[in-house]
Amino acid sequence: MEHLTSISAVRERVRAWRREGHTVGFVPTMGALHAGHTSLVEAARRACHRVIASVFVNPAQFGPNEDLSKYPRDLPGDMLKLEQAGCHALFTTTPDEMYPEGFATWVTVEGLTDGLCGRARPGHFRGVTTIVAKLFNLVQPDDAFFGEKDRQQLQVLRRMTRDLDLPVRVHGCPTVREPDGLALSSRNLYLSPADRTRATALSRGLRLARAAYEGGERQAAALERVVRAELEAAQARVDYVEVVDLATLKPVAEAGDDTLVAVAAVVGATRLIDNHRLGDAFPGA
Ligand code: AMP
């Protein structure tokens, strides 16, 4: 795997691949990679001739009281995992290269970013859409791969790509989970053993909501109560439990297959998120 450390090196590499007639798949990440990230690389490998990943802890998507300085970093480990997943190139960069002195241009998606994580994390999605627009522009991939674990992010990026006519196909990939259901996340590294156990309340709540839906429950309020009860029993601090339409991310009263149950909760000091589309089977259930 080639390690590229500047914008010009990425442009040159991708240009060379194109000259050879290769298609290019792109997997942006913030590092501290796990099997969720490598599943995106594997999906990219299946769809494209060449795969490039990026590792960049993007300061613009962290709020002032968030975990930017202590966000887990492990570049050697990341490189090993990417290599093993068959990634062809890795791009790493610095805040100075991405946000040079005088940087003043932002990409914002309205509406879809108002609710769910957008409410608790003002400015977060503006940071995400701006960095992804920049990365799309400098990598110029044919296809880009994102996890359904961050479903609001995926929907926001789909909308940005469509609205700005960016010539990239955005793919959503299923959430990779631990055997006990916990969605893999770089932030799981913060959990103490006791909190790690309590963290399973998120996926358990979603699984129970899905079981209630399968059993005929259609009232959003009832499904929401199922999830909330699990979180409260585990003493997780609920940020939100919402039953929303997948396309608009707005709350619905009646659930259907294209309804998303989305949850964010603080376990110990760690904010975790998870979600489930009710029309999908819950893995392991
Ligand atoms: P991050 O490094 O957390 O910014 O995530 C980079 C990409 O990996 C995003 O598209 C995430 O949605 C995706 N991702 C993170 N966790 C998982 C997971 N458990 N399963 C699938 N994709 C994931």
Side-chain angles (χ1 to χ4, degrees), residues 60-63 106 113 117-118 121-129:
Q61 69 189 70
F62 287 79
W106 299 92
T113 58
C117 286
R121 305 184 71 190
H124 167 70
F125 285 112
R126 181 181 88 144
V128 170
T129 43

Side-chain angles (χ1 to χ4, degrees), residues 69-87:
S69 62
K70 67 179 179 92
Y71 195 82
R73 288 165 169 86
D74 174 22
L75 190 58
D78 291 346
M79 291 181 67
L80 206 64
K81 285 171 197 155
L82 289 170
E83 184 109 49
Q84 282 167 356
C87 192

Side-chain angles (χ1 to χ4, degrees), residues 27-37 39-40 61 71 145-151 153 157 173-177 182-187:
V27 179
T29 82
M30 297 208 302
L33 301 184
H34 49 64
H37 298 111
S39 77
L40 305 182
Q61 69 189 70
Y71 195 82
F145 299 81
F146 298 89
E148 289 176 350
K149 176 185 164 261
D150 302 277
R151 188 77 78 140
Q153 169 174 281
L157 292 173
C173 302
T175 302
V176 177
R177 297 177 180 280
L182 178 68
L184 298 194
S185 164
S186 306
R187 290 190 167 95

